[in-house]
């Protein structure tokens, strides 16, 4: 008998011991569990601006952690070595929520303000994020989510009370674009709508040549964001060759700056990244 995973809109129906599309969730005895729970592949103390978050405790640092797997298949994935693989393709070590919070506390003298769940897609291990976030909140640590925004409403509602800030990738501004990365455009927009006003949010658009580098795409995106709140920060970031698009040249800096100029017609806080 198959069991339905309801974590994200993909809604994988999994046989016993079968993993989902994300490579991180599995049917164990008729229950869908996060197989990558606590399995960290990356851990670093980063500047908060690297998330990127420019309007959330700027000048501070945050303990950043990631696992493996993702529920999208972006051909330009900038972290494909962990996001586009499963448990057998990357080294990992188990870190319990209490251990992670302890590490975050130890780093306070170094400027740490909390924990950022990032690098791969953290929402596919929502149970771990929730357990860590609750433990971190007890010690007044901040919780930051860096995400593609592809999650069910129930998943988001469970996490939002414990998340202090989010950077959400708004990768393109059409379902046609999201078809190319295996995602759902409306789900991402709904995530942004629901998060706004309940936590601090900033958005990122990675400008990929030939995919979302038109002024029309950026203008439509900026207009939509402005209708929600023109003060929402937008990070317009430069693509570098990665994963299945490693033969493509980096986005011209002039293109990135032109996209930012288009967005600035509608938004108050637009930043250029990776240039």
């Amino acid at each position: 008998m198959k069991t339905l995973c309801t974590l994200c809109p993909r809604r994988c129906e999994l046989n016993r011991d079968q993993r989902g599309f994300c490579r991180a969730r599995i049917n164990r005895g008729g229950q869908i569990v996060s197989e990558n729970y606590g399995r960290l592949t990356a851990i670093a103390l980063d500047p908060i601006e690297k998330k990127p978050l420019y309007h959330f405790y700027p000048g501070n640092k945050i303990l950043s952690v990631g696992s493996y797997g993702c529920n999208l298949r972006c051909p330009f994935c900038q972290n494909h070595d962990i996001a586009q693989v499963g448990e057998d393709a990357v080294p990992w070590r188990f870190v319990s929520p209490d251990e992670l919070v302890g590490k975050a506390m130890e780093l306070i003298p170094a400027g740490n303000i909390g924990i950022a769940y990032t690098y791969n897609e953290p929402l596919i291990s929502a149970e771990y994020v929730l357990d860590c976030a609750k433990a971190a909140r007890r010690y007044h640590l901040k919780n930051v989510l860096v995400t593609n925004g592809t999650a069910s409403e129930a998943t988001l509602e469970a996490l939002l009370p414990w998340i202090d800030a989010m950077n959400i990738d708004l990768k393109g501004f059409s379902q046609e674009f999201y078809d190319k990365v295996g995602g759902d455009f409306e789900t991402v927009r709904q995530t942004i709508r629901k998060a706004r006003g309940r936590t601090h949010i900033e958005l990122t658009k990675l400008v990929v040549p030939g995919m979302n580098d038109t002024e029309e795409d950026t203008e439509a995106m900026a207009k939509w964001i402005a209708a929600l709140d023109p003060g929402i920060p937008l990070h317009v970031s430069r693509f570098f060759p990665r994963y299945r698009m490693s033969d493509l040249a980096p986005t011209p800096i002039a293109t990135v700056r032109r996209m930012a100029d288009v967005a600035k017609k509608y938004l108050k806080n637009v930043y250029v990244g990776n240039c």
Side-chain angles (χ1 to χ4, degrees), residues 15 35 143 166 221 256:
N15 292 314
E35 190 179 38
N143 290 294
M166 296 174 70
M221 178 183 293
V256 179

Side-chain angles (χ1 to χ4, degrees), residues 21 54 61 93 95 167 185 194 215 228-229 240 262:
F21 180 87
Y54 282 14
K61 296 180 180 179
R93 71 181 183 93
V95 178
N167 184 288
F185 179 41
K194 285 190 170 294
E215 293 186 12
L228 294 177
D229 179 355
F240 284 95
V262 170

